[in-house]
Amino acid sequence: MQRDVGGLPLAPALRARLVAAGFQTAQELLETGPCGLSKEIGISKEEALEALQVVRQECQGDAARTAGGSGATRKCTALELLEEEQAQGFIITFCSALDNILGGGVQLTKITEICGAPGAGKTQLCMQLAVDVQIPECFGGVAGEAVFIDTEGSFMVDRVVDIATACVQHCQLIAEAHQEEDHLKALETFSLESILSHIYYFRCRDYIELLAQVYLLPDFLSEHSKVQLVVVDGIAFPFRHDFEDLSLRTRLLNGLAQQLIIIANDHKSAVVLTNQMTTRIGQSQSTLVPALGESWGHAATVRLIFHWDNSQRLATLYKSPSQKESTIPYRITVSISFGMEIQRWEQIVSCKGIFRHIDKSENDVCFLSVAFQLPSEGWDVPTFMHILHLFSLEK
């Protein structure tokens, strides 16, 4: 961080302005921020932000070379990579069909992009994940924390309270059925207040604030090592207005994508982005496609697209390095964000403490129910709990 300004890969005229303004080291530039730098040397905020991106990347490269010496590039075998992948956990979505097509849930160390039209449920799933990432390990969770970066003002605390309350009740039911010491002990600290206090919320109103927040995020994550989920809701909104220079927008987006990849890998966190849809006009018809262009499509490891078929909500896994393209129906309910209600239950099993309700019909979707939505045949809660006790809850 003590690199001299004169040695930075910036335009000569810009370096001269920085030196004339009294800047000597890269650290001084980073501490000033884009708005301050713009005022200090008389350049636009966009130019200041782009310059700071270059400076930060250079400093990160210097730190990596210092830590690694001549062997800064990591070397490992494919077997080691496989073992690391298998050791990484998943953040469940509480929709078993969605978890299945994702290979177990939202994977740590990967970038997952959720695209869809307004009202499709993108923010609902992000809020659900911000709660689910905190589920204790003994219940099959990862016991992490969440960062929620909101660019559209869509974060609804009341909805998070509903989701968190249902999640806590779900874990309490499991603990009552299991009667294991680790479950009861975990519930002592897993409460509504605990969940809300470990969702770190940031409101960014333009792309400058968003980029600045993302570039400062590694320092925050170093101080909050339990964070295992970073949500940016939504990534496109700040970049779809007030951009005359589209090449500058592309460079800023590429830098943002690179920074998010670094965050996911270095901090072993899942990064979840939401993206809007835009209309692509063809010769014979128009289609809805994710915003920000085709080049942005390479940024995410996994891409989900939420869409409608008449009144039915559908989720399509459009891009994944390990899972096939699939489409499943989903439903947003009052008691839980995602799930399909199944009317015919023929078997009850569990997977790592989370109950799965399985029907043999191929047209129905399995539902991981936080609120234990009862089938329509009229079971009451005591009857249902009695049936749960009759089943072995271990795989």
Side-chain angles (χ1 to χ4, degrees):
M1 286 292 188
Q2 297 302 317
R3 186 165 179 175
D4 186 76
V5 168
L8 294 171
L10 301 171
L14 182 56
R15 288 203 303 266
R17 285 191 180 191
L18 293 172
V19 173
F23 292 101
Q24 296 181 352
T25 65
Q27 178 65 34
E28 293 174 352
L29 293 177
L30 295 175
E31 291 175 352
T32 302
C35 295
L37 186 61
S38 173
K39 295 177 182 178
E40 287 282 348
I41 63 176
I43 60 176
S44 68
K45 291 181 180 179
E46 291 82 359
E47 292 173 323
L49 188 57
E50 189 173 6
L52 289 177
Q53 284 184 347
V54 173
V55 172
R56 181 172 288 276
Q57 289 171 3
E58 285 295 309
C59 291
Q60 289 173 343
D62 290 345
R65 286 188 289 273
T66 300
S70 59
T73 302
R74 182 191 173 198
K75 297 181 179 65
C76 62
T77 66
L79 178 60
E80 291 171 340
L81 286 176
L82 176 62
E83 291 172 347
E84 287 184 10
E85 289 279 334
Q86 293 175 340
Q88 295 296 334
F90 293 89
I91 305 172
I92 62 170
T93 66
F94 273 114
C95 175
S96 61
L98 187 56
D99 287 335
N100 288 339
I101 67 172
L102 289 172
V106 176
Q107 190 172 358
L108 303 181
T109 73
K110 307 297 183 186
I111 297 180
T112 300
E113 183 182 34
I114 306 166
C115 310
K122 303 184 297 296
T123 301
Q124 293 283 329
L125 178 56
C126 289
M127 292 188 293
Q128 180 78 53
L129 292 172
V131 172
D132 296 347
V133 72
Q134 303 184 50
I135 294 174
E137 293 180 353
C138 62
F139 291 103
V142 297
E145 298 175 354
V147 167
F148 200 106
I149 301 175
D150 183 10
T151 70
E152 301 182 15
S154 301
F155 185 82
M156 302 298 294
V157 179
D158 291 344
R159 184 58 174 151
V160 177
V161 169
D162 292 340
I163 296 170
T165 301
C167 187
V168 171
Q169 291 173 351
H170 175 63
C171 292
Q172 288 173 343
L173 286 172
I174 294 175
E176 291 174 7
H178 260 174
Q179 290 296 322
E180 292 187 5
E181 184 178 352
D182 56 344
H183 287 171
L184 299 175
K185 186 175 181 180
L187 286 176
E188 294 176 1
T189 55
F190 187 62
S191 63
L192 173 62
E193 292 75 14
S194 172
I195 292 173
L196 296 179
S197 64
H198 292 118
I199 299 176
Y200 305 103
Y201 176 81
F202 299 90
R203 179 73 168 94
C204 297
R205 291 171 175 80
D206 55 42
Y207 72 92
I208 294 176
E209 290 186 1
L210 172 60
L211 290 169
Q213 183 58 57
V214 170
Y215 276 89
L216 292 173
L217 202 54
D219 295 333
F220 179 86
L221 296 180
S222 297
E223 298 173 358
H224 299 79
S225 59
K226 293 189 68 176
V227 171
Q228 292 194 283
L229 173 68
V230 176
V231 174
V232 181
D233 181 36
I235 196 70
F237 183 74
F239 291 96
R240 300 190 72 181
H241 309 280
D242 303 325
F243 261 103
E244 297 180 0
D245 187 352
L246 292 181
S247 63
L248 173 61
R249 187 185 85 158
T250 300
R251 292 196 300 272
L252 293 177
L253 282 170
N254 289 340
L256 177 62
Q258 183 179 9
Q259 182 67 12
L260 291 172
I261 292 171
I262 292 172
I263 289 171
N265 290 329
D266 291 354
H267 296 276
K268 308 299 181 186
S269 299
V271 175
V272 176
L273 316 174
T274 67
N275 194 0
Q276 300 173 349
M277 303 294 281
T278 189
T279 303
R280 175 185 290 168
I281 307 297
Q283 293 182 349
S284 58
Q285 63 180 359
S286 60
T287 56
L288 282 177
V289 297
L292 300 180
E294 291 186 2
S295 61
W296 174 256
H298 299 287
T301 311
V302 177
R303 173 175 269 184
L304 280 168
I305 296 182
F306 291 172
H307 53 103
W308 299 83
D309 182 10
N310 296 322
S311 60
Q312 175 67 66
R313 299 173 189 261
L314 300 174
T316 296
L317 180 62
Y318 183 79
K319 174 188 175 185
S320 173
S322 59
Q323 303 297 316
K324 66 179 181 179
E325 183 173 329
S326 304
T327 299
I328 57 104
Y330 67 91
R331 179 179 178 182
I332 300 176
T333 67
V334 174
S335 58
I336 179 176
S337 289
F338 276 78
M340 292 294 297
E341 297 181 18
I342 292 178
Q343 301 301 322
R344 301 181 306 279
W345 292 1
E346 298 182 359
Q347 185 181 6
I348 302 175
V349 298
S350 82
C351 178
K352 294 185 178 179
I354 305 300
F355 294 104
R356 291 183 182 271
H357 312 306
I358 297 181
D359 186 281
K360 290 183 180 179
S361 171
E362 295 180 356
N363 297 323
D364 287 331
V365 178
C366 298
F367 173 36
L368 290 175
S369 173
V370 163
F372 288 107
Q373 293 173 308
L374 300 181
S376 58
E377 283 77 1
W379 292 358
D380 55 15
V381 172
T383 302
F384 182 56
M385 290 305 300
H386 175 68
I387 292 174
L388 288 182
H389 279 290
L390 297 180
F391 282 90
S392 171
L393 298 178
E394 299 295 336
K395 290 190 69 176

